[in-house]
Amino acid sequence: MTANHRTLWMLKDGIAFLNHGSFGAVPRCVFDEQNDWRRRIEAEPVEILGRRCRDLLAAAKIPVGQLLRMRPDDFGFVTNATEAINAVFRCLKINSGDELLTTTHVYNAIRQTMRFTAERASATYREIDIRTPIYSGQQIMDAILANLSDRTRLLVIDHVTSPTALVFPVEQIVAACGSRGIDVLIDGAHAPGMLDLSVTAIHAAYYTGNLHKWACAPKGSAFLWVRPDRQADIHPNIISHHLGQGFGREFDWQGTRDISAFLATPCALDFMGDLGWSEVRRQNHDLAVWAHQMLFEKWNVPPLSPLDGSLLGSMATAQLPAPLCDMAEDAAQRFQQFLYDEHQIEVPLIRWQERWHIRVSCQVYNGPEDYLRLAGAIDGSISSAF
Ligand SMILES: Cc1ncc(COP(=O)(O)O)c(C=O)c1O
């Protein structure tokens, strides 16, 4: 799949792009489709943004709902997962003394959202420290369940964690919390396109996912799904004309905005669907498992999760070998830039459990040679000062 597929994306020649996870990357045809929508909007601004906006968004929601198994009425388009989570937190009635709970694997922007919300409500914010190595989903479940309390107002769980690239057993966590009357918000920023996902089956109170990461939609395409029994209380961050007219209607219109990313999302889903979703997922997962094992064997570092890949999706995080794992913050920043400038490798460096790690992403345009180049560059950097 790999060599040919690279030409279907717009990535700069020569770069080993191992960071699909941060912002995604669009195929050329999706970029063209979005531009086409932008041209159409400028040709007929009122026809498209005024009279036809609702119908166009409704049509764009159909394939998203089919892929991720959501009823179109139960989700709204938003620009990104951060926006979706902010919307939920702004609408929740949080009392002083309540606890907002998540884990140490939380994405930092969401940590800040939760802290901010807790502070304003005189509530508490707490992270469950789930240390790696993690051997099973059960270990994650046990750590979370042991930390729930009568004060837990909302639990935020990542479906695929950002620093550690682990797939959490969200369905089981939601079921266990449900039996204790605790609502769960799932941060599925990485899940759409990476996992075979049925949002409705997870049955969380709230689920957000980015379409601009692993579904390869244009940047600024994401959704917030809310369980029907919670929809009346949830509104978008932008309160506009349709307040009180229903969840879907409120999310459809949030003032004048560029809706081209949403309208081009079906094109991305068609493109990836033509490659074959299950084939894409299987290939990306297999490559992540192989890269994880290969880096582990070369560097002889402690793995964060089982080497059989049972807790991985299409990304893997590995600790850097000594002495790189102990770099100071500014040295780590310089090292990342060095990998890009000198070796043409784009890869994120991540601080986890007091050590520096790298996280590799695997998308259909990647091949084993990209990860071997990374391993070679790291080996060379240990012997020479970079
Ligand atoms: C787990 C997780 N949540 C939320 C986000 C935020 O995504 P966005 O910047 O699109 O809102 C990210 C981004 O990488 C993420 O990894």
Side-chain angles (χ1 to χ4, degrees):
M1 242 195 199
T2 54
N4 290 341
H5 284 81
R6 173 88 188 201
T7 63
L8 300 176
W9 264 261
M10 303 170 70
L11 296 163
K12 188 173 168 184
D13 282 346
I15 304 286
F17 191 68
L18 306 183
N19 191 5
H20 191 89
S22 278
F23 307 123
V26 285
R28 281 174 205 284
C29 62
V30 178
F31 182 83
D32 292 343
E33 173 79 0
Q34 183 181 18
N35 276 347
D36 216 46
W37 275 112
R38 296 180 69 224
R39 255 189 295 275
R40 284 196 232 174
I41 290 167
E42 293 313 324
E44 301 181 273
V46 179
E47 170 71 359
I48 296 200
L49 284 185
R51 289 184 290 273
R52 292 184 58 210
C53 180
R54 220 177 144 204
D55 289 347
L56 289 169
L57 290 175
K61 283 170 83 176
I62 290 170
V64 176
Q66 280 167 349
L67 178 71
L68 306 176
R69 286 162 256 177
M70 309 184 280
R71 280 186 340 123
D73 287 349
D74 295 339
F75 73 96
F77 279 125
V78 291
T79 304
N80 53 57
T82 312
E83 179 188 324
I85 292 173
N86 270 271
V88 173
F89 275 110
R90 198 182 65 173
C91 294
L92 288 182
K93 293 178 187 75
I94 296 163
N95 297 316
S96 102
D98 284 352
E99 177 178 77
L100 305 180
L101 189 62
T102 186
T103 76
T104 43
H105 299 248
V106 70
Y107 183 67
N108 188 52
I110 308 313
R111 168 182 290 128
Q112 305 306 347
T113 305
M114 294 180 74
R115 273 193 181 144
F116 179 82
T117 309
E119 213 172 289
R120 291 183 73 166
S122 303
T124 51
Y125 166 74
R126 188 160 64 92
E127 292 179 12
I128 305 166
D129 188 8
I130 310 183
R131 310 285 293 178
T132 53
I134 294 176
Y135 300 103
S136 68
Q138 189 62 46
Q139 190 181 335
I140 298 166
M141 278 277 288
D142 292 346
I144 291 171
L145 298 191
N147 276 281
L148 301 176
S149 80
D150 293 345
R151 295 172 47 222
T152 310
R153 173 71 176 82
L154 186 77
L155 173 69
V156 174
I157 291 295
D158 298 80
H159 200 163
V160 182
T161 62
S162 174
T164 45
L166 301 175
V167 180
F168 274 18
V170 291
E171 214 166 322
Q172 293 90 319
I173 294 169
V174 168
C177 289
S179 66
R180 297 180 191 202
I182 295 171
D183 276 357
V184 184
L185 184 161
I186 303 291
D187 176 355
H190 287 278
M194 184 196 285
L195 306 177
D196 184 12
L197 177 61
S198 169
V199 170
T200 308
I202 294 168
H203 211 61
Y206 316 99
Y207 191 108
T208 179
N210 277 332
L211 298 160
H212 53 230
K213 289 188 192 278
W214 296 89
C216 293
K219 285 159 192 55
S221 182
F223 67 87
L224 173 65
W225 178 94
V226 177
R227 209 172 56 208
D229 61 315
R230 294 288 185 267
Q231 286 173 13
D233 292 333
I234 301 298
H235 309 277
N237 289 315
I238 309 297
I239 301 296
S240 187
H241 295 299
H242 303 295
L243 181 65
Q245 294 176 14
F247 175 78
R249 192 119 170 78
E250 287 187 35
F251 273 83
D252 278 355
W253 187 261
Q254 300 187 41
T256 309
R257 59 177 175 164
D258 184 356
I259 57 171
S260 61
F262 308 138
L263 299 182
T265 293
C267 171
L269 303 191
D270 279 350
F271 173 85
M272 297 300 282
D274 287 347
L275 296 182
W277 275 115
S278 44
E279 173 61 10
V280 166
R281 281 194 288 264
R282 191 194 54 72
Q283 179 178 312
N284 292 345
H285 173 73
D286 288 353
L287 192 55
V289 176
W290 173 82
H292 187 219
Q293 284 176 3
M294 184 272 291
L295 295 174
F296 165 77
E297 278 162 20
K298 275 198 184 302
W299 297 343
N300 195 21
V301 284
L304 273 59
S305 63
L307 289 177
D308 64 7
S310 49
L311 292 179
L312 298 183
S314 307
M315 302 191 292
T317 296
Q319 186 185 306
L320 283 168
L324 296 172
C325 60
D326 293 318
M327 284 179 288
E329 174 85 39
D330 58 340
Q333 277 177 21
R334 281 201 309 276
F335 186 56
Q336 188 179 22
Q337 192 66 52
F338 164 82
L339 287 174
Y340 193 70
D341 294 342
E342 300 301 320
H343 294 279
Q344 289 76 51
I345 297 169
E346 185 66 84
V347 71
L349 263 64
I350 287 167
R351 188 90 178 141
W352 175 253
Q353 289 183 188
E354 296 86 44
R355 293 256 144 76
W356 286 104
H357 294 64
I358 46 122
R359 186 189 71 190
V360 292
S361 291
C362 304
Q363 187 48 284
V364 291
Y365 51 74
N366 292 120
E369 64 285 358
D370 293 330
Y371 308 88
L372 292 169
R373 195 202 296 186
L374 173 69
I378 301 277
D379 280 354
S381 309
I382 294 173
S383 37
S384 70
F386 58 88

